[in-house]
């Protein structure tokens, strides 16, 4: 799956176009353009780095269509609504964890925390609503480094600039 994040020509908004492997294309508006990376880009980078197909992007790759997604083109497969609902239902708890992990990594990236003990403490705080608040600290730190690099590239981008990220065809192992 190919995901293209674009700063709108007016510079005030950002969006992404999702080109799934089945040829279906969707647009997702990211809201106000700002120096920080769009929230869905944060999710994509974190889910890729943590090899987690249970979050938003794993669900989209598996056929889920969320309310924020606008169909642009491509023939939707038979039973697309059922497939979407099943993909979301199968990931219910993992979608929540992915959301919280994205917040944790965003916090670590913006605060510059690299100490493993402080990462563990931050994870307990950010994931406190989950039964398991443990994380793979080196993987989370690697995701924070990737996010910092992407944040720098996004902040330097101009209206109309694109950032392309690929979600692998092969199913990823879940984190």
């Amino acid at each position: 799956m190919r995901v293209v994040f674009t700063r709108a020509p007016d510079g005030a908004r950002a969006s992404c176009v999702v080109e799934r492997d089945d040829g279906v294309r969707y647009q997702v508006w990211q809201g106000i353009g700002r120096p920080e990376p769009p929230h869905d880009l944060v999710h994509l980078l974190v889910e890729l780095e943590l090899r987690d197909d249970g979050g938003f992007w794993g669900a989209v790759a598996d056929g889920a269509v969320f309310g924020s997604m606008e169909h642009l083109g491509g023939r939707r497969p038979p039973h697309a609504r059922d497939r979407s609902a099943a993909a979301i239902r199968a990931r219910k708890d993992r979608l929540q964890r992915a959301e919280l992990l994205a917040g944790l990594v965003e916090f670590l990236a913006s605060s510059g925390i690299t100490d493993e003990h402080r990462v563990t403490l931050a994870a307990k705080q950010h994931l406190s609503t989950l039964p398991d608040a443990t994380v793979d600290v080196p993987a989370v730190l690697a995701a924070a480094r990737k996010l910092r690099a992407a944040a720098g590239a996004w902040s330097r981008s101009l209206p109309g600039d694109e950032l392309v990220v690929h979600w692998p065809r092969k199913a990823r192992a879940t984190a």
Side-chain angles (χ1 to χ4, degrees):
M1 178 170 69
R2 182 174 185 257
V3 185
V4 181
F5 291 87
T6 306
R7 219 181 255 279
D10 62 8
R13 296 174 298 155
S15 69
C16 72
V17 172
V18 179
E19 301 169 357
R20 288 195 329 213
D21 293 341
D22 62 5
V24 181
R25 295 176 54 239
Y26 293 93
Q27 182 162 35
V28 184
W29 286 101
Q30 302 294 308
I32 303 299
R34 53 184 199 189
E36 297 84 24
H39 183 68
D40 289 340
L41 175 58
V42 172
H43 266 279
L44 183 55
L45 296 173
V46 170
E47 291 173 29
L48 280 170
E49 191 61 33
L50 298 181
R51 293 185 158 98
D52 181 5
D53 70 351
F56 177 82
W57 291 105
V60 170
D62 199 26
V65 179
F66 293 90
S68 60
M69 298 170 66
E70 174 188 346
H71 182 253
L72 293 179
R75 186 172 184 279
R76 293 178 232 195
H79 310 289
R81 272 205 179 108
D82 295 337
R83 184 175 161 203
S84 173
I88 293 169
R89 194 171 39 256
R91 290 171 173 80
K92 182 181 145 203
D93 294 335
R94 293 165 63 202
L95 284 164
Q96 161 98 21
R97 183 173 174 81
E99 186 69 39
L100 296 173
L101 279 170
L104 169 65
V105 172
E106 199 166 26
F107 168 76
L108 296 172
S110 66
S111 66
I113 293 174
T114 58
D115 176 75
E116 291 192 9
H117 178 69
R118 289 184 65 201
V119 170
T120 301
L121 291 175
K124 286 182 182 177
Q125 181 180 7
H126 280 83
L127 307 178
S128 65
T129 60
L130 300 177
D132 179 18
T134 61
V135 295
D136 178 345
V137 173
V140 167
L141 286 170
R145 284 190 300 275
K146 284 231 169 149
L147 182 54
R148 273 193 299 277
W154 185 259
S155 70
R156 292 185 301 275
S157 68
L158 300 172
D161 283 355
E162 295 180 344
L163 178 61
V164 179
V165 183
H166 294 273
W167 183 269
R169 282 183 195 268
K170 195 164 116 179
R172 303 294 292 238
T174 57

